[in-house]
Amino acid sequence: MAEQRQDPRDVPGAGGGTRGVRAEEADAWGELVDTARRTVTDGLVVGTSGNVSVRVGDTVLVTPSGVPYDRLTPGDVTGVDLEGRQVLGTLVPTSELPMHLAVYRSTGAHAVVHTHAVHATAVSTLVPELPTIHYMTAALGGPVRVAPYATYGTAELAENMFRALADRTACLLQNHGTIAYGASLSQAFDRTAQLEWMCHLWLTARAVPGLTPHLLTEEQVAEVGERLRGYGQRT
């Protein structure tokens, strides 16, 4: 029989934080947990590596540190304000909280996904910028930069990431992984998956002996960027 878990909206002060969990936060937490679990099933992280967050008003819900995603329950809601002060839950927030908060403070992001994806991390050790191997580079704002290495969880890493994200929605973290943001958890996840795919593509192409991958020009990427502005269904 499937384990029955109580909805935090039915538990006053669920998680033991400084206030109760609001309905929109409970819904967002469920989507956050689903997204975090998807990073594992899709091979973007191993174990408890990587982290996910989503902004609800002035509260940032974030995966807690060192807790396997399949063990997270509705009552484990973990949230901080934009200054990093914990306002929901008792579990310690991810050690990468400085990166997440730096994104929210400087962009209109509503969700952030950080992973240790294998191909993307490999590329981060080889080049200062992902070569323009595919036109979907434009979907991330242009050539994806590599933020210089710094110890995880530090202000230095958050600052390096901030610079690499200028006019971009994703970047690589040297010898570490990826970070991407979006207007929703699904968009942040999709951008993360797209970045990993492009890194895999470039590594595959450059591994062919005696041949050098053809790369797109800055003008070609810019042209695609313009076309993508009108891509999709009109509403």
Side-chain angles (χ1 to χ4, degrees), residues 55-140:
R55 181 174 178 174
V56 182
D58 290 331
T59 300
V60 175
L61 306 181
V62 63
T63 48
S65 179
V67 180
Y69 300 144
D70 61 355
R71 296 183 188 175
L72 291 175
T73 73
D76 291 328
V77 177
T78 304
V80 301
D81 63 19
L82 291 173
E83 298 305 314
R85 293 183 289 263
Q86 190 155 359
V87 296
L88 290 172
T90 57
L91 295 176
V92 177
T94 173
S95 58
E96 298 292 12
L97 186 60
M99 282 204 300
H100 290 257
L101 294 180
V103 173
Y104 292 118
R105 291 170 186 156
S106 59
T107 73
H110 284 276
V112 176
V113 174
H114 164 53
T115 78
H116 294 178
V118 173
H119 300 97
T121 304
V123 169
S124 79
T125 70
L126 299 172
V127 292
E129 182 179 276
L130 174 62
T132 51
I133 191 69
H134 194 273
Y135 67 77
M136 284 303 287
T137 296
L140 301 180

